Structure formats: C-alpha cells, structure tokens
Amino acid sequence: KITFKKGTGDTPDDFYVAYIDPQSRQLKLASYVVTFPTMRKGRPVEQLDQHAIVFQEWQQADGLLVPKQAQFYKWVNENIEGEPLGKLEFSNVHFSKAQPDPAKFRKPDGAVIAPLP
C-alpha cells in the first residue's frame, strides 16, 4: 500500500495498493482511491469509490519492461466488478539517460518495505 504524508500535494489522502503476480513478479493490478476535492465532495475517504487498473499488455522501452495497455474497473471488496470503465494505452515510451539524485529514492523514516511473496 502506498500512502502520502499529510500536506503532500493536492490529494494527500490518495492511496494505492499494488498486486504482484507471484509467477512473473510483474505488477498485475493496482487498486486506488482518488481524493481530489471536486471528486470527494466532502465525503470521508472510507465512502469514496475504489477502482483498479489492470495491466494487460507489456512492452520494452529503453531496455525496461513497462505497461503497454491497461483497463480501469470498479474495485469492490478487493474484486473487479463489472465492465471496464476505461482503457489506457502507453505509446512512444522513453526514459531519460540522466541519472536523478539518489536522495530522491531514499526510504523515508518509518517506511516499511514488505518482502515479495
């Protein structure tokens, strides 16, 4: 589960849960809640609709395996529900060769890294 420190950006209450395929060790889907004020309409996080993005197709980009296609669904009780709500296609994907400052990737104090199954 990925969460944000209070006061981070416009939607610090957003959260994401990554589901990893145990065979391939690739990201299979991510469930999430969007808390942008106009979507939230004053409701507490617990009352917001959850969604899932399912990564269905992968591609190579600059030597890395990245998503090519994904679909969005309603996520109810940790299950996909209904027909797809939308589709994403990632094209013309490239990465910068410049290396970012390693400090950007330091684990924050108090963060926990869970082992993969």
Side-chain angles (χ1 to χ4, degrees), residues 41-91:
K41 299 177 183 169
R43 295 177 292 169
V45 173
E46 300 77 35
Q47 291 180 5
L48 299 176
D49 292 334
Q50 290 192 32
H51 294 90
I53 182 170
V54 179
F55 299 96
Q56 298 165 310
E57 216 176 310
W58 296 82
Q59 63 187 329
Q60 290 284 330
D62 296 334
L64 298 173
L65 189 62
V66 297
K68 182 175 182 180
Q69 187 180 82
Q71 291 184 320
F72 295 94
Y73 295 87
K74 285 179 117 178
W75 184 249
V76 180
N77 298 321
E78 296 193 17
N79 290 293
I80 290 172
E81 186 174 274
E83 296 296 315
L85 301 172
K87 180 178 176 179
L88 271 179
E89 290 194 32
F90 302 88
S91 62

